[in-house]
Amino acid sequence: MRSHADSNTPSDVDVVIVGAGFAGLYMLHRMRGLGLRARILERAGDVGGTWYWNRYPGARCDIESIDYSYSFDEQLTHEWRWTERYAAQPEILSYIGHAADRFDLRRDITFGTTVTSAHWDDETTAWTLTCDTGAALRATYCVMATGCLSVAKQPDMPGLSDFTGRWFHTGRWPHEPVDFSGQRVAVVGTGSSGIQAIPRIAEAADFVHVLQRTPNYSMPAQNRPLTPDEFDTAISDFAVRRRICQESDAGVPHPPPTQSTFEVTPEAREHRYEEGWQRGGINALSAAFTDFFTDEEANRVAQDFVRRKIHEIVSDTRTADLLCPHHHIGTKRTCVDTGYFATYNRDNVELIDLRTQPIERVTPRGLQLAGRHVDVNAIVFAIGFDAITGALADIDIRGVDGVELHDVWAHGPRTLLGLQTAGFPNLFMVTGPGSPSVLSNMLISIEQHVDWITDCLEHLNASGVDRIEATEDAQDQWMDHVAALAADTLYPQATSWYLGANIPGKPRTFMPYVAGCGQYRRECEQVVADGYAGFRLGHPSRVGGGNRP
Ligand code: NA7
């Protein structure tokens, strides 16, 4: 493919990519494959994205390692050996580092650079990105590979600056080991991060106070080492396994359910849930019946099963009661744990209910709750992220006529396929709002988006144009479709980060596409088969749409 270096465009590179996680690295690799000049701008000191930042004890993927890996290079697949069913953060980070080395990606990455603005110039068909370092880069295309969970929610509690101990955010964990031995620790938050970290911190610390605002459903990981035989078998069939993931709803290689909850007897239902619980993993229960996410009564049966399990595991009845969630299971991200509920049987762990004893302020020695002071040496905030749109909202993005993405998304993100927003030509998002993103195995969704964008750029080149933009009409239709699909499920009923409900003032829109990876892939393929239907190719004010000599 012809690089714009050969033409009269003023761009420094053809493609600028923001973010060096799984998405950005694969994007860079594919761009090189097209013969384009590409560069990644990355805030962190190295590759890894979410796995670079989330180094807290117990950090582990909730998708099986074999499926949470790249599939684009057969040799890479065969040379890397995952050691556990669910890889821990250090192993995943090593894998990403290995991929970066293997394809010599680091030489086209600028680390330690935060992109602060991205402005489009329709005359020159170029994005200009400026960085906190003062550097600027011009590119014909800009790909935001900024991640769905990359902006940590700030613990803006009064008094925090006066705290004399150490405090941490799970999503910004220090690189050096944190020693909790002999310490009294407060953990705020019981989402996936808290639920993974609490058992590990409890093993190390003198005492742990868990400050819970909302209890969550958590499935046992049933994590274990992968035997060489098991690994070899999975890998020998990797292409088939990956195809099944791509066609599935959640991007995992399990057969979809065929029966609804009340089609089977109560005994058969219990048996199937028990099987799921023993197998473990994020879809331990949700994969059992077709109506899990859509039927309130069906969902309630699954909730009851987990509440019974919590009471079986946790010896103190009051603590078990407090740990029992009451929202529709699955509508907030289901957690996956190793020994989470059993941790509350330890003598050095106390669960505090923030609904009855809210945090009033941080003091120099701990946390002042309503009616009680909790003395601690360290506070761990596992309070989540400004999810899905946070990283884009942090950048001053301006499209045609200087229109700000911030304004266009004031009432919630608007995209076509989660790939582009009307008014922002040549700006692509990887796993943006309106695509399956966080409801899927991210690796499946990332590879699909990167491949789609790569094919698109190849098509533009073959067509002699270098501008593509989603149309308002197609975007409106897509957004209506995404909303209608979500409305048929229980998802929008929860106050979840899928809806932006965890960030004060954030517009509440259910952001992910719920109909699954397979259906979404077909939608994307149809758009291409219809000649990029819904996208305007070429410059609207130029004859033939072309910009290039
Ligand atoms: P989550 O899932 O957003 O969980 C954050 C937790 O922190 C959740 O229990 C929140 O309670 C709690 N929280 C948030 N703010 C506060 C304040 N101000 N006070 C007390 N408690 C608070 O984030 P995670 O990092 O655990 O997981 C994010 C995803 O990363 C995860 O799903 C995986 O995909 C990877 P709430 O429910 O809002 O009442």
Side-chain angles (χ1 to χ4, degrees):
M1 181 166 159
R2 187 175 165 210
S3 166
H4 290 197
D6 311 331
S7 73
N8 293 331
T9 62
S11 302
D12 299 317
V13 291
D14 299 308
V15 186
V16 61
I17 301 159
V18 185
F22 272 111
L25 294 181
Y26 181 41
M27 194 76 230
L28 172 59
H29 177 68
R30 291 297 321 263
M31 294 300 93
R32 281 190 190 162
L34 289 184
L36 295 177
R37 295 166 308 145
R39 172 153 290 275
I40 294 180
L41 303 176
E42 166 60 57
R43 169 183 296 155
D46 199 2
V47 297
T50 199
W51 301 104
Y52 176 91
W53 299 105
N54 285 269
R55 297 166 185 252
Y56 60 85
R60 190 178 288 284
C61 191
D62 56 10
I63 298 287
E64 292 189 46
S65 317
I66 290 165
D67 305 311
Y68 195 78
S69 54
Y70 286 128
S71 70
F72 66 85
D73 187 272
E74 214 177 317
Q75 218 174 321
L76 175 65
T77 300
H78 284 271
E79 76 197 6
W80 184 268
R81 296 192 80 83
W82 294 106
T83 63
E84 291 182 278
R85 184 180 180 201
Y86 294 99
Q89 176 270 338
E91 190 172 8
I92 301 173
L93 191 59
S94 301
Y95 172 78
I96 301 173
H98 171 73
D101 289 341
R102 196 177 193 297
F103 301 104
D104 189 19
L105 298 176
R106 284 191 180 85
R107 69 181 153 88
D108 285 325
I109 306 175
T110 308
F111 292 108
T113 297
T114 298
V115 173
T116 52
S117 72
H119 293 178
W120 171 250
D121 181 352
D122 223 11
E123 275 307 303
T124 55
T125 318
W127 283 97
T128 300
L129 274 69
T130 50
C131 306
D132 61 344
T133 55
L137 195 70
R138 287 168 73 83
T140 310
Y141 301 101
C142 175
V143 180
M144 293 295 182
T146 41
C148 294
L149 293 158
S150 45
V151 176
K153 190 176 138 172
Q154 290 310 304
D156 49 3
M157 288 169 197
L160 185 57
S161 57
D162 299 330
F163 182 56
T164 52
R166 294 185 76 190
W167 66 267
F168 309 89
H169 191 299
T170 47
R172 288 288 179 276
W173 202 260
H175 285 213
E176 68 278 5
V178 177
D179 183 8
F180 286 121
S181 58
Q183 303 260 299
R184 297 181 73 80
V185 183
V187 181
V188 183
T190 49
S192 296
S193 305
I195 281 175
Q196 288 186 334
I198 288 160
R200 294 285 303 280
I201 296 173
E203 285 165 10
D206 200 28
F207 200 91
V208 177
H209 303 272
V210 177
L211 282 74
Q212 170 189 274
R213 191 162 68 182
T214 312
N216 259 311
Y217 297 98
S218 185
M219 305 292 116
Q222 311 290 17
N223 188 36
R224 53 182 163 70
L226 278 177
T227 66
D229 276 359
E230 200 177 3
F231 182 79
D232 289 340
T233 307
I235 289 304
S236 69
D237 237 3
F238 186 69
V240 175
R241 184 177 172 121
R242 187 48 71 115
R243 195 69 213 156
I244 295 169
C245 292
Q246 290 166 344
E247 293 302 328
S248 74
D249 281 355
V252 291
H254 307 302
T258 53
Q259 288 180 298
S260 61
T261 305
F262 299 110
E263 257 181 72
V264 303
T265 64
E267 295 73 28
R269 210 153 50 223
E270 183 75 8
H271 179 70
R272 205 169 292 176
Y273 285 145
E274 186 60 40
E275 268 182 350
W277 189 265
Q278 296 310 328
R279 189 181 65 247
I282 194 163
N283 66 353
L285 302 190
S286 60
F289 297 106
T290 51
D291 48 0
F292 181 93
F293 288 107
T294 52
D295 183 280
E296 280 198 288
E297 276 315 304
N299 190 280
R300 200 177 312 283
V301 179
Q303 296 170 35
D304 288 342
F305 178 87
V306 181
R307 287 190 283 260
R308 278 200 306 280
K309 284 288 181 196
I310 293 171
H311 272 276
E312 276 169 32
I313 299 168
V314 179
S315 1
D316 179 64
T317 306
R318 187 183 157 274
T319 304
D321 281 341
L322 285 178
L323 287 168
C324 282
H326 292 281
H327 55 275
H328 297 310
I329 181 169
T331 56
K332 292 176 90 164
R333 175 85 172 194
T334 299
C335 307
V336 179
D337 72 276
T338 299
Y340 174 64
F341 293 117
T343 296
Y344 291 93
N345 295 333
R346 295 176 68 106
D347 293 339
N348 70 334
V349 177
E350 180 200 18
L351 181 66
I352 297 175
D353 177 16
L354 291 181
R355 285 170 306 182
T356 53
Q357 293 183 295
I359 300 170
E360 290 178 345
R361 64 179 189 282
V362 182
T363 71
R365 290 182 302 105
L367 290 145
Q368 180 63 51
L369 312 182
R372 173 180 177 190
H373 189 269
V374 179
D375 277 12
V376 289
N377 315 103
I379 306 174
V380 173
F381 292 102
I383 56 174
F385 300 87
D386 183 352
I388 305 175
T389 54
L392 295 170
D394 268 2
I395 304 172
D396 167 21
I397 301 175
R398 300 188 192 189
V400 175
D401 297 330
V403 169
E404 296 183 33
L405 188 69
H406 190 262
D407 292 335
V408 175
W409 286 11
H411 302 292
R414 300 195 65 72
T415 72
L416 175 54
L417 297 167
L419 278 162
Q420 273 212 328
T421 291
F424 298 83
N426 292 8
L427 181 81
F428 295 95
M429 291 162 274
V430 182
T431 67
S435 73
S437 65
V438 291
L439 297 186
S440 68
N441 171 358
M442 291 305 290
L443 264 288
I444 300 297
S445 289
I446 284 170
E447 287 196 336
Q448 188 239 335
H449 263 189
V450 169
D451 289 342
W452 194 96
I453 295 166
T454 305
D455 292 347
C456 173
L457 297 195
E458 209 171 10
H459 175 80
L460 295 181
N461 185 61
S463 310
V465 298
D466 59 2
R467 187 184 189 279
I468 180 168
E469 181 186 355
T471 67
E472 289 275 1
D473 281 355
Q475 177 171 285
D476 288 348
Q477 280 174 30
W478 183 251
M479 286 290 95
D480 289 349
H481 179 55
V482 170
L485 289 170
D488 282 342
T489 71
L490 301 169
Y491 276 116
Q493 295 184 28
T495 50
S496 68
W497 52 258
Y498 297 146
L499 272 161
N502 65 330
I503 302 293
K506 189 166 172 174
R508 290 201 182 188
T509 316
F510 190 81
M511 293 180 273
Y513 170 88
V514 299
C517 292
Q519 179 58 28
Y520 175 77
R521 179 176 294 263
R522 284 188 286 280
E523 297 269 10
C524 290
E525 286 170 357
Q526 193 58 48
V527 163
V528 174
D530 293 342
Y532 288 87
F535 291 91
R536 189 182 299 113
L537 272 52
H539 205 294
S541 65
R542 291 181 195 154
V543 178
N547 300 325
R548 305 231 307 274

